[in-house]
Amino acid sequence: MIQIPHGQAVPALGQGTWKMGERAARAAEEAAVLRLGIELGLTLIDTAEIYASGGAERVVAQAIAGQREKVFLVSKVAPQNASAAGTIRACEASLRRLGTEVLDLYLLHWPGAHPFRETLAGFEKLIAQGKIRHWGVSNFDPQAMREIFALPAGTACATNQVLYHPDARGVEFDLLPWSRAHAMPIMAYSPLGQGGRLLRSRALAQVAERHNATPAQIALAWSLRDGNTISIPKTANPERLRENAGALEIRLSAEDLAVIDAAHKPPARKQALEML
Ligand SMILES: NC(=O)c1ccc[n+]([C@@H]2O[C@H](COP(=O)([O-])OP(=O)(O)OC[C@H]3O[C@@H](n4cnc5c(N)ncnc54)[C@H](OP(=O)(O)O)[C@@H]3O)[C@@H](O)[C@H]2O)c1
């Protein structure tokens, strides 16, 4: 479990939903995998209004029906909607699609044209109305984080959801130390590198062999290794879901981490924040 600022402890390993809800014929299957995940303790579910134009939120609605209280539900407002009034409207539409009255965490998906103070005013009103419990951001670099924290009530920001996996480590140079210094966990998205080249890494395979595990499990254990990061892999496959949940049992040793560092180098200098 990971402690969020001004809030409760949330599960370190959650479930992503990008690409869910794109095909009606698969929705029931996708919802069933999310339900299995909830049973296995992956009770943090991450979605967004833009995923499948609301379709992913509808899949999540099917998954959480009758068990809303078991889930820590995260959704996101798209930057073009993130004026004070637009944030409230977008949240209300998400709540309707999700079939719930409250979001546990509502994030600004990435910085856009609306000033942060406007979006924050929308978030605060939503909290006052009981429609969200916490707010946070996504794809914010250290400069944008400093701007948020400089606003009145800005320090209530619960998390910053960013791209983070062994082939995308730029955040380790500045954003992670900044977040640690402000006692704010980050949420790692695409922790499996979207299931592509990363999972064919020889270093991950070598470490996986030592643990009798899979490269995907090692990638997830790596993302969780500091005890202060939430990781939200996505799968719509029940076998992979069980596999991913197994990552919680794996503790990487200093030797394992050295093998991964040698092949997937930590950043030596500041890099622009990578995002998808
Ligand atoms: N804030 C943002 O801007 C942002 C951006 C990107 C993502 N996100 C969030 O983060 C979540 C995760 O990121 P992501 O979906 O981009 O990528 P990811 O979780 O790194 O990878 C998902 C891909 O990996 C496959 N996969 C899952 N488990 C696997 C396993 N054990 N072995 C092999 N392949 C596996 C999945 O396919 P199957 O489904 O077929 O298993 C899917 O194609 C998203 O779903 C979304 O909720 C947020």
Side-chain angles (χ1 to χ4, degrees):
M1 303 293 283
I2 306 287
Q3 187 68 39
I4 57 168
H6 310 288
Q8 76 235 59
V10 305
L13 190 60
Q15 304 187 74
T17 63
W18 191 18
K19 310 274 167 74
M20 289 190 182
E22 290 183 350
R23 285 188 288 152
R26 289 215 60 199
E29 228 176 285
E30 292 164 348
V33 175
L34 291 173
R35 272 198 301 278
L36 174 62
I38 295 168
E39 260 175 55
L40 296 177
L42 277 56
T43 54
L44 183 151
I45 297 182
D46 176 77
T47 190
E49 61 170 336
I50 64 166
Y51 297 165
S53 307
E57 289 181 327
R58 289 192 195 91
V59 169
V60 173
Q62 281 188 49
I64 65 176
Q67 51 176 351
R68 169 68 186 89
E69 70 295 341
K70 289 188 190 164
V71 173
F72 188 89
L73 188 55
V74 186
S75 193
K76 313 184 196 80
V77 57
Q80 63 272 25
N81 293 335
S83 63
T87 298
I88 293 168
R89 274 197 304 276
C91 180
E92 288 169 345
S94 284
L95 290 173
R96 276 194 297 278
R97 284 189 293 270
L98 286 160
T100 186
E101 287 175 358
V102 61
L103 288 174
D104 295 288
L105 177 58
Y106 198 36
L107 308 178
L108 172 58
H109 209 143
W110 64 90
H114 294 290
F116 299 150
R117 68 182 144 67
E118 283 246 350
T119 312
L120 199 47
F123 285 154
E124 291 201 300
K125 197 141 186 206
L126 287 166
I127 289 182
Q129 293 173 343
K131 290 175 182 159
I132 67 171
R133 297 201 169 102
H134 305 282
W135 64 268
V137 296
S138 177
N139 297 302
F140 270 44
D141 65 13
Q143 176 55 29
M145 285 311 307
R146 280 191 285 274
E147 285 174 36
I148 277 280
F149 266 59
L151 294 171
T155 56
C157 181
T159 193
N160 181 13
Q161 185 181 113
V162 290
L163 178 70
Y164 188 42
H165 60 70
D167 281 335
R169 302 182 64 166
V171 294
E172 288 176 23
F173 191 81
D174 49 2
L175 189 70
L176 289 194
W178 187 93
S179 306
R180 212 167 287 132
H182 291 80
M184 190 195 72
I186 66 143
M187 198 181 284
Y189 75 67
S190 308
L192 299 167
Q194 300 205 287
R197 192 165 57 95
L198 175 69
L199 298 188
R200 296 190 293 277
S201 153
R202 290 176 64 173
L204 293 192
Q206 187 185 332
V207 174
E209 208 176 307
R210 289 187 192 163
H211 289 268
N212 199 14
T214 66
Q217 289 176 320
I218 299 304
L220 294 178
W222 182 90
S223 70
L224 298 170
R225 70 195 184 289
D226 70 355
N228 198 32
T229 299
I230 300 156
S231 184
I232 48 167
K234 174 264 173 185
T235 181
N237 173 309
E239 290 317 309
R240 286 175 170 176
L241 196 262
R242 288 184 192 282
E243 176 186 335
N244 294 348
L248 285 169
E249 311 302 320
I250 300 170
R251 296 282 171 279
L252 298 178
S253 66
E255 207 183 322
D256 295 332
L257 295 177
V259 170
I260 295 171
D261 282 349
H264 306 269
K265 299 255 184 298
R269 63 186 72 82
K270 183 173 171 54
Q271 298 172 8
L273 183 71
E274 285 180 80
M275 59 183 280
L276 295 182

